Amino acid sequence: MIVGVVLVVAAIVTTVALLLAASAAADRGVRDLARAPVGCTTTLQFEEGGSFIVYAETVGEIGALEGDCPNGSDEYLFEGSGTPQADLRLVDSSGDVVSLEAEDSKEYDANGSKGTSVASMRIATAGEYRLTVTSSDSNFAVAVGKDPNASADTLRTLGIVFGVLLLLAGIVLVVLGLRRRPAPATATAAVALPVTSSENTWAPTAPAPTQQMPGVPPPPLLPTTQPAPTPPPPLGGGGTWAPPPPPPPQ
């Protein structure tokens, strides 16, 4: 039962810890996205090739930028309905246009920013790329990068799975512990047993009988006690004392 309680506590702690880690991972993923404002060309530096997603970010803040876009830290908040529309043009360092595919199935809301996916692309090699954004809408920006919820979703899933497994195992052990609880011990009184004289008294052992051999006289018996001598009669009247006469012969 004690192990079951420990597992229940571990389930709660593990779930909370992994959910907090998932939230931190989502914040970090959103913070790592590259922003490009509307109405200018921004230079993006890709450190590796792979698949990337383009988001229309309706709540956020522009950080440091490279290209012909003005640098600043202006915050933006899109107040229109739905997702703002924009024309995107991405070229590599050689001027070749990178193909963009429509994408509208991913969202994020973390680190003080909100975004909805509008396109996806495949970067062949690492290097410098230039992204131009034009739109009739304002008060939004374009964010480019990996899905910030990918690692966060993995941590959330692990937290839920491990939490449920540990919780179920703990509940089962607690129930088994309650069902197998030992009965309370009853007080027993000490009973004094009667002591018999045969077990606690000692008597000398009788001597073993001897066997008399034929033709051999038995050994003389030793007197156990010496006869007390006959005291002399009291002296008086000048009389004398003599031993009594022997008995007459038969």
Side-chain angles (χ1 to χ4, degrees):
M1 185 169 61
I2 295 176
V3 176
V5 173
V6 172
L7 289 179
V8 171
V9 175
I12 298 174
V13 173
T14 301
T15 302
V16 171
L18 289 176
L19 291 179
L20 292 176
S23 178
D27 290 342
R28 184 169 55 253
V30 171
R31 187 171 56 249
D32 292 341
L33 294 175
R35 271 76 180 182
V38 178
C40 56
T41 299
T42 303
T43 301
L44 304 177
Q45 186 70 34
F46 289 88
E47 297 180 354
E48 61 182 3
S51 298
F52 295 87
I53 301 174
V54 181
Y55 297 91
E57 192 171 75
T58 55
V59 179
E61 182 179 357
I62 293 293
L65 302 173
E66 294 183 5
D68 60 6
C69 292
N71 285 281
S73 59
D74 295 337
E75 297 180 357
Y76 44 87
L77 174 61
F78 180 73
E79 297 180 348
S81 59
T83 303
Q85 302 297 314
D87 293 329
L88 308 174
R89 186 173 185 270
L90 182 68
V91 297
D92 59 15
S93 57
S94 302
D96 296 330
V97 178
V98 178
S99 175
L100 301 176
E101 302 291 338
E103 170 64 54
D104 59 357
S105 62
K106 298 184 182 301
E107 295 181 351
Y108 61 81
D109 184 357
N111 197 42
S113 301
K114 292 182 180 181
T116 302
S117 60
V118 295
S120 62
M121 58 187 177
R122 176 77 182 177
I123 300 299
T125 58
E128 186 177 281
Y129 292 77
R130 296 187 300 275
L131 176 63
T132 303
V133 183
T134 58
S135 176
S136 58
D137 296 320
S138 59
N139 293 327
F140 80 97
V142 171
V144 181
K146 297 288 187 178
D147 182 6
N149 290 320
S151 59
D153 290 342
T154 301
L155 291 175
R156 290 190 188 97
T157 303
L158 290 176
I160 294 173
V161 171
F162 279 111
V164 170
L165 292 178
L166 291 176
L167 183 62
L168 291 177
I171 292 175
V172 170
L173 291 178
V174 170
V175 172
L176 291 177
L178 291 175
R179 293 180 60 184
R180 299 180 62 183
R181 183 172 55 187
T186 57
T188 57
V191 179
L193 296 178
V195 179
T196 59
S197 59
S198 60
E199 294 181 356
N200 293 274
T201 57
W202 176 87
T205 306
T210 58
Q211 185 176 6
Q212 180 67 36
M213 301 204 48
V216 178
L221 296 178
L222 297 178
T224 56
T225 57
Q226 296 291 334
T230 302
L235 298 178
T240 59
W241 174 85
Q250 294 181 355

